[in-house]
Amino acid sequence: MKVQFHVVALSSALIMATGLTGCDSGPSAPKGLQGQSAGTSATATEQPRESAAVTEPTTAAEYKAVDELRNVHFDLDQAKIRSGDAKLLQGHARWLKSQRTMIVMIDGHADERGTDEHNMRLGEQRANAVRGYLIAQGVEADRVMTASQGERNPTCSDHNEGCWNKNRRAEFKIKTR
């Protein structure tokens, strides 16, 4: 119960911090996703607001990994960006700002420990933390999408801390607008 409270408190703090940066009137989705729940497609044309965290399904055919955008990793049950990863994300932001036709998808991942629901929420928090960091570095909000993978798609399947550390990550994939 105590851990669940901390997760809820962290989620609330991240949502409030993200919402205050753009002072918008509520969440919105990217062009083509307005009025839809996560995982669906749409045809609306309203532009997204800067502070809105966007969730869009990742399809392998659309988004591709690139060497310039390396994974960032997280501590156990945390969505806080570590100082070493902040420096890495600054480089990611510079690269993305030089590639204005690219849209980036950030997939948030968790290790296998915890419930499926908890890990999906944690993956979402991690993706949104990275998204917020990139936006703060000057990357346009409508070019940064997020998705939670939870504990799905691990990079390592061993059951030890070294492996779990590799699975607690945010991955980057891009596509051209």
Side-chain angles (χ1 to χ4, degrees):
M1 186 63 133
K2 201 176 227 184
V3 171
Q4 188 175 24
F5 171 77
H6 290 295
V7 170
V8 171
L10 178 60
S11 298
S12 298
L14 284 172
I15 289 168
M16 288 187 332
T18 302
L20 291 176
T21 59
C23 297
D24 72 3
S25 60
S28 64
K31 186 175 184 177
L33 292 179
Q34 293 291 336
Q36 298 294 313
S37 61
T40 63
S41 60
T43 58
T45 59
E46 181 181 339
Q47 291 295 322
R49 294 180 182 100
E50 181 167 294
S51 65
V54 179
T55 302
E56 181 178 286
T58 305
T59 58
E62 291 183 54
Y63 290 93
K64 304 282 184 200
V66 293
D67 292 337
E68 291 83 0
L69 303 178
R70 295 191 346 243
N71 295 348
V72 296
H73 293 88
F74 296 87
D75 291 329
L76 176 63
D77 213 26
Q78 297 292 312
K80 181 180 177 188
I81 296 170
R82 303 184 292 193
S83 61
D85 288 317
K87 291 177 184 175
L88 184 64
L89 287 173
Q90 290 168 3
H92 289 13
R94 281 190 300 275
W95 187 83
L96 287 166
K97 289 189 292 186
S98 74
Q99 305 291 322
R100 299 230 181 248
T101 62
M102 299 293 170
I103 296 173
V104 64
M105 171 62 70
I106 304 165
D107 284 338
H109 295 264
D111 64 35
E112 66 189 40
R113 298 172 291 179
T115 65
D116 289 342
E117 181 181 289
H118 173 76
N119 289 336
M120 287 300 289
R121 192 170 42 248
L122 188 56
E124 180 180 11
Q125 291 168 354
R126 289 172 173 165
N128 286 333
V130 170
R131 180 181 191 272
Y133 193 93
L134 292 174
I135 291 169
Q137 295 295 311
V139 178
E140 297 90 347
D142 65 343
R143 295 179 50 217
V144 186
M145 309 301 150
T146 64
S148 177
Q149 299 298 323
E151 63 189 71
R152 297 181 305 221
N153 305 320
T155 60
C156 182
S157 58
D158 293 338
H159 306 288
N160 60 54
E161 186 55 44
C163 185
W164 293 325
N165 187 49
K166 292 176 186 175
N167 292 334
R168 296 189 304 259
R169 69 194 188 281
E171 287 183 341
F172 302 86
K173 296 176 183 143
I174 61 163
K175 74 174 182 177
T176 303
R177 287 194 218 218

